Amino acid sequence: EPGQDLKVVIDTNLTEELLEEGRVRQTIRDVQEARKSAGVKLDQPINLFTPFIPKDTNLLALLKKNTLADQVLPSDALKIQPL
C-alpha cells in the first residue's frame, strides 16, 4: 500500500555449503581454462585431478557434469587428463 514502509532483510552470512559451491564453480572455470591451455576440446571427457573434491555429492555431480570428468581424483594441483 502506498505510504507504508517496507523492510527487507538479507542474510549475507556465508555458510559452509555456499563456500563449497563457490569453490566448485571456481574449479569448473579453472578446468575450462586448463582445457583451453592444453588444447583439449570442450566436449572431450577427462579425468580431473584436483586438490579440492566437494564433500556434497550433488556438488560433486555438478563438477563432473560441467567438466565432463569421468573421475575426480585427489592431487596437489589441478590437472586434466583427456580420455
Side-chain angles (χ1 to χ4, degrees):
E1 200 174 305
Q4 286 190 330
D5 289 338
L6 178 64
K7 183 177 182 179
V8 176
V9 178
I10 298 173
D11 184 356
T12 58
N13 293 318
L14 294 177
T15 64
E16 287 301 316
E17 293 82 9
L18 285 174
L19 291 170
E20 187 172 49
E21 182 178 347
R23 287 189 71 189
V24 166
R25 295 193 183 282
Q26 183 59 52
T27 301
I28 291 167
R29 285 189 291 275
D30 293 344
V31 168
Q32 303 309 17
E33 189 60 38
R35 283 178 175 277
K36 185 177 176 182
S37 296
V40 177
K41 294 180 181 175
L42 291 176
D43 60 352
Q44 185 173 2
I46 61 168
N47 282 330
L48 173 59
F49 298 87
T50 177
F52 168 69
I53 298 178
K55 296 173 191 162
D56 183 309
T57 56
N58 291 326
L59 290 176
L60 180 58
L62 178 70
L63 178 61
K64 290 175 85 170
K65 177 183 174 211
N66 284 298
T67 60
L68 294 182
D70 185 54
Q71 296 182 62
V72 178
L73 304 162
S75 175
D76 290 340
L78 188 132
K79 293 178 269 192
I80 61 170
Q81 177 186 53
L83 298 177

